[in-house]
Amino acid sequence: MSETSTTEIPAPEGKRRSGLRRFLGKAVPIVFYVLLVVFLVLYLRSVDWAQLAEADWNWGWVAVATVISLGFRYWGVGIWFFLLRRLGATGLEGSGVTLTYVYAKSWMGRYIPGAATWIIGKVYFASKHGVSKARLGVSGLLEGALQIAATLALALVLLLIDPRTHALDPWLIALMIAAFVGCVVCLVPQVFVWLIGLALRVLRRQPLSDDVRPSLGTVLGGAGLYVAGAILSGSAYYFITLAVYPSLKGTDAAFVIGAASMASAISMLAVFAPGGLGVREGVQALLLSIVMPVPIALVVVVVTRVWSLGVDALFLLCAAVPTWFRRGGAGDDAAVVHDGAPAA
């Protein structure tokens, strides 16, 4: 009798890869949410709650600031859709509810260390709904660079036309201008594509196809939209500051908007700080102390930190609720047809 072989037949390569994709499909969202909860807890623990308790709130101005700030976040969703369409994405019609929720979830990823977390989140979650990963990656990088450049530009204009900022350290002003110039250079389409190509070569990925490369019109259009967004966001910070410091003059509105914009831009450049924690507050306190007493400026910094997190949570809730009522359970897990092909 011949001896029966007990050697196991290895699984086909395709099945192993399919199993790995299924595992990652379950593991990546879990890791994302766990990290988000961990760093949100650390973020809240860093708040000086005793100082916050001393604040005397004007809830009317808080409501105005919250509505404007929530509008700014939805404005960001609109810019994302604009860039995706300009980069050749099709089939976005009818998927607005789902992709808005994807954007809101990914926006919360800013509280996880690493400036690219919210970009990676959009690429991962939106690609599950059939959106091209290449277009998502390019639009995400373009968003980040445009937001920093536009916000810095607005901040520099509003701050440097105010003679009170001339007392700041010249090196600080030079650093702000250098950061702005660097962002503008990176946004030149040829430079932007070269930088992405360099990153893809380092990662040993396929180069960008010509139809995914942004045009000058896309860059300029996105920059204009982000300047408007920076004015919207800065206005919200002016009203939340007014809610804490009612003695703030209306003539200081431009300065406060500029200070908020500068703090936001610098915090985005600080890739090591989750949500720009510490960096945003430092820049904001330095600039606000020019138009108000230092103790009040420090209270405003704490208030705006907690308030901003509250608006982010409200944005996530507002984006999530419509997905709960979509007919047939077509919520966040529903695939959409995109770029002419169904989601895998």
Side-chain angles (χ1 to χ4, degrees), residues 42-64:
L42 294 175
Y43 191 85
L44 290 171
R45 287 185 62 184
S46 68
V47 174
D48 187 346
W49 295 101
Q51 196 171 39
L52 186 63
E54 298 174 359
D56 185 15
W57 300 73
N58 182 317
W59 291 103
W61 291 129
V62 172
V64 171

Side-chain angles (χ1 to χ4, degrees), residues 175-191:
L175 183 61
M176 296 176 184
I177 296 174
F180 170 68
V181 172
C183 288
V184 170
V185 171
C186 290
L187 283 169
V188 175
Q190 293 83 352
V191 177

Side-chain angles (χ1 to χ4, degrees), residues 23-137:
F23 171 76
L24 291 176
K26 294 178 179 179
V28 171
I30 293 173
V31 171
F32 176 84
Y33 294 128
V34 168
L35 287 176
L36 180 58
V37 170
V38 168
F39 284 102
L40 281 176
V41 170
L42 294 175
Y43 191 85
L44 290 171
R45 287 185 62 184
S46 68
V47 174
D48 187 346
W49 295 101
Q51 196 171 39
L52 186 63
E54 298 174 359
D56 185 15
W57 300 73
N58 182 317
W59 291 103
W61 291 129
V62 172
V64 171
T66 301
V67 170
I68 295 175
S69 192
L70 189 61
F72 162 70
R73 284 153 177 78
Y74 277 100
W75 184 260
V77 177
I79 297 175
W80 185 41
F81 273 72
F82 166 80
L83 293 176
L84 284 173
R85 289 193 180 97
R86 294 283 300 191
L87 291 171
T90 58
L92 291 173
E93 296 75 11
S95 61
V97 169
T98 298
L99 294 181
T100 298
Y101 179 48
V102 165
Y103 186 97
K105 282 195 302 183
S106 304
W107 181 261
M108 295 297 292
R110 298 177 307 123
Y111 293 99
I112 301 173
T117 310
W118 75 293
I119 298 175
I120 295 172
K122 281 187 294 183
V123 172
Y124 178 82
F125 290 117
S127 66
K128 297 300 179 183
H129 301 281
V131 186
S132 161
K133 286 186 177 181
R135 289 175 172 82
L136 285 168

Side-chain angles (χ1 to χ4, degrees), residues 7-32:
T7 304
E8 293 184 2
I9 301 175
E13 183 68 21
K15 287 186 177 180
R16 287 202 296 270
R17 290 182 178 177
S18 178
L20 179 61
R21 282 197 297 268
R22 284 196 298 270
F23 171 76
L24 291 176
K26 294 178 179 179
V28 171
I30 293 173
V31 171
F32 176 84

Side-chain angles (χ1 to χ4, degrees), residues 189-275:
Q190 293 83 352
V191 177
F192 183 78
V193 171
W194 180 81
L195 290 172
I196 292 181
L198 179 63
L200 291 174
R201 284 196 296 273
V202 171
L203 296 173
R204 297 182 180 179
R205 299 297 180 90
Q206 293 293 327
L208 282 179
S209 57
D210 292 337
D211 62 337
V212 184
R213 301 183 179 192
S215 65
L216 181 60
T218 300
V219 173
L220 293 177
L225 291 171
Y226 266 121
V227 168
I231 295 173
L232 197 64
S233 176
S235 299
Y237 276 95
Y238 168 73
F239 286 112
I240 197 65
T241 303
L242 192 62
V244 179
Y245 184 55
S247 299
L248 188 67
K249 299 176 182 178
T251 53
D252 288 328
F255 183 90
V256 174
I257 292 172
S261 300
M262 181 59 67
S264 176
I266 298 300
S267 71
M268 284 186 282
L269 288 170
V271 297
F272 54 85

Side-chain angles (χ1 to χ4, degrees), residues 113 127 159 294:
S127 66
L159 292 177
V294 173

